[in-house]
Amino acid sequence: MRHFPVFLNVADRRVIVSGAGECAIAKLRLLLKTEANIFVYGTNAETQVRVWSAEGKLTLVERALKAGDADEAAMLYAANEDDVEDARVAQIGRDAGALTNIVDNLEDSQFITPAIVDRDPVTIAIGTEGAAPVLARRIKADIESRLPASLGILARIGQAFRGRADMLPQGRIRRDFWSRYYEGAGDAALQAGGEKAVNETLNDLLTDAIETRPREGHVSLIGTGPGDPDLLTLKARRLLHEADVVLHDQLVPQAILELARREAIVIEVGKKGYGPSWKQEDINALMIKHAKKGAQIARLKSGDPAIFGRLDEELDALDEAAIAFDIVPGITSASAAAATIGISLTRRGRNSSLRIITGRETQGFAEHEWRELAKEGSAAAIYMGLRAASFLRGRLLMHGASADTPVTAVENVSRSNQKIISTTLAELPDALNAASITGPAVLLYGLSPRDAVAASTALETTPELYTAGAL
């Protein structure tokens, strides 16, 4: 992030626009929404600038900006559409201590003006670091279509009510009060009876919040999928945003954690194979501790919590502590990997069933029905199988599996650094070593990429490494 987004208080402060042409008008349309004292310097002012000046909305000074004009100014826009003149006035602004912006000159500007969605006093600023103004406008249009025009009125009424609402204790009770107001009750009252009805509704909601028994602690065990935030369910997003405490596995990426509220307590309780890990009993104790304080907890688990996620151990602990919970499924790595390589996990005439197995158990290598798995046409999704690749190959070959059985490994499935390795059972350990796999990976035994995908990436008969970006 090159430009740090802030909201600058310009009420009754001097803001300068150097230039009075079309370029300046574009900035003035936005600045006139503020409470700043706007001064425009320039000759041959456009008619619109003169109209605004006559209406008292700004002060027009019909000459070029000079030293001293920018003293005590909060901001200065250089909008002369002349590189030399813009550089000159920008230097005057910088010397005076004003933040300066040279229109259409990102490199020499101290700040940039974002696209803005205005629902005063609610303001949403959208920036793309100057890289894609068209994209910023598209996002702006999308957000504007989602936010009702009444939002500004509701926010203004709510702002005036904050003093009374502050009698509620900070935390969940106060947030629930405002959530009820902004997520339906306020707008319904406004439509039914105007601002008077809104204030009556706020009083009713406040009375309910004071008299209502505090919400008991609750744990939502949420599958976050393979890592791509776009693959989260809507319910997962909502619960994550509402959570007071977020406890997450090590594999849950930062992009998903950033969906939590800024005020939420976020703790990594990672369990890492063959490395330092949180003990399961300590994770259980931490969940129970926060839940008994009334916290709403989002327990984030990579993939789907019901597949090799030690879900039952945590549910048993919550049951024993009499703490309510719910389970939110997530997309498991096998499904995401199959989608990535363009195949289904089952197919008539190829495999009518799929085993989901693990290459590792607490006490060592997992034991499976190797003879059944080795039969032609069998398929399996193997989790945590990287370190066990040689063992898996040996067991399957020993029980009759063909050396040519296809195996596809997908590392960091769905993420930007995803890798796909298409190989055979005989070559599996060597292919994984050659690809330098370090991240989490799922092995799709008996499954290979769709022919069209394979052709598009020029796969050879020998193991070939290719990335998701090439798909």
Side-chain angles (χ1 to χ4, degrees), residues 337-359:
T340 293
I341 64 175
I343 63 167
S344 60
L345 289 171
T346 60
R347 179 179 177 179
R348 184 170 54 185
R350 184 191 66 196
N351 64 299
S352 58
S353 64
L354 175 81
R355 289 178 172 82
I356 297 179
I357 64 177
T358 176

Side-chain angles (χ1 to χ4, degrees), residues 164-238:
R164 295 197 60 197
D166 284 348
M167 70 175 61
L168 296 173
Q170 290 187 2
R172 170 61 57 180
I173 294 177
R174 192 182 298 182
R175 284 201 305 275
D176 284 350
F177 164 78
W178 286 116
S179 293
R180 291 180 66 189
Y181 172 63
Y182 282 114
E183 292 175 6
D187 189 59
L190 183 64
Q191 301 305 320
E195 295 191 21
K196 181 181 178 182
V198 174
N199 280 293
E200 292 173 352
T201 295
L202 278 168
N203 284 315
D204 291 342
L205 291 175
L206 182 61
T207 300
D208 288 346
I210 293 172
E211 296 177 352
T212 300
R213 181 181 176 183
R215 187 189 300 190
E216 294 183 352
H218 185 278
V219 178
S220 294
L221 298 109
I222 301 170
T224 61
D228 182 352
D230 287 342
L231 296 180
L232 283 174
T233 64
L234 293 175
K235 185 175 183 179
R237 280 180 173 266
R238 176 177 60 80

Side-chain angles (χ1 to χ4, degrees), residues 9-26:
N9 183 357
V10 294
D12 298 323
R13 297 187 67 186
R14 186 180 178 92
V15 173
I16 293 172
V17 176
S18 177
E22 290 293 338
C23 181
I25 288 175

Side-chain angles (χ1 to χ4, degrees), residues 312-453:
D312 288 312
E313 297 175 46
E314 298 185 10
L315 296 184
D316 290 343
L318 294 173
D319 274 337
E320 186 175 345
I323 293 171
F325 63 83
D326 64 335
I327 302 168
V328 182
I331 294 177
T332 191
S333 295
S335 295
T340 293
I341 64 175
I343 63 167
S344 60
L345 289 171
T346 60
R347 179 179 177 179
R348 184 170 54 185
R350 184 191 66 196
N351 64 299
S352 58
S353 64
L354 175 81
R355 289 178 172 82
I356 297 179
I357 64 177
T358 176
R360 184 173 63 86
E361 289 280 355
T362 304
Q363 304 302 323
F365 290 121
E367 287 296 335
H368 303 288
E369 297 178 359
W370 300 109
R371 191 174 302 281
E372 289 298 315
L373 190 58
K375 290 181 179 179
E376 184 177 356
S378 295
I382 304 172
Y383 290 64
M384 297 171 281
L386 292 181
R387 288 175 179 258
S390 295
F391 173 84
L392 292 167
R393 177 184 63 179
R395 282 300 176 95
L396 288 165
L397 291 176
M398 182 175 68
H399 285 84
S402 170
D404 294 331
T405 302
V407 182
T408 303
V410 185
E411 178 193 25
N412 294 320
V413 60
S414 84
R415 307 189 190 192
S416 60
N417 57 345
Q418 175 179 277
K419 290 181 182 178
I420 303 170
I421 300 90
S422 181
T423 185
T424 62
L425 179 60
E427 299 289 343
L428 178 61
D430 293 336
L432 296 177
N433 288 334
S436 300
I437 301 298
T438 57
V442 60
L443 307 180
L444 299 180
Y445 170 77
L447 302 172
S448 57
R450 191 174 186 84
D451 291 343
V453 174

Side-chain angles (χ1 to χ4, degrees), residues 2-3 23 27 76-88 90 94 100-113 129-130 133:
R2 179 177 175 184
H3 294 87
C23 181
K27 298 301 179 185
L76 182 148
Y77 283 90
N80 296 281
E81 302 179 72
D82 179 285
D83 291 344
V84 175
E85 179 64 5
D86 282 342
R88 184 187 73 82
R94 287 192 290 267
T100 61
N101 172 276
I102 302 176
V103 177
D104 293 332
N105 184 341
L106 180 67
E107 294 302 320
D108 295 328
S109 294
Q110 292 178 308
F111 71 95
I112 58 177
T113 303
E129 301 280 8

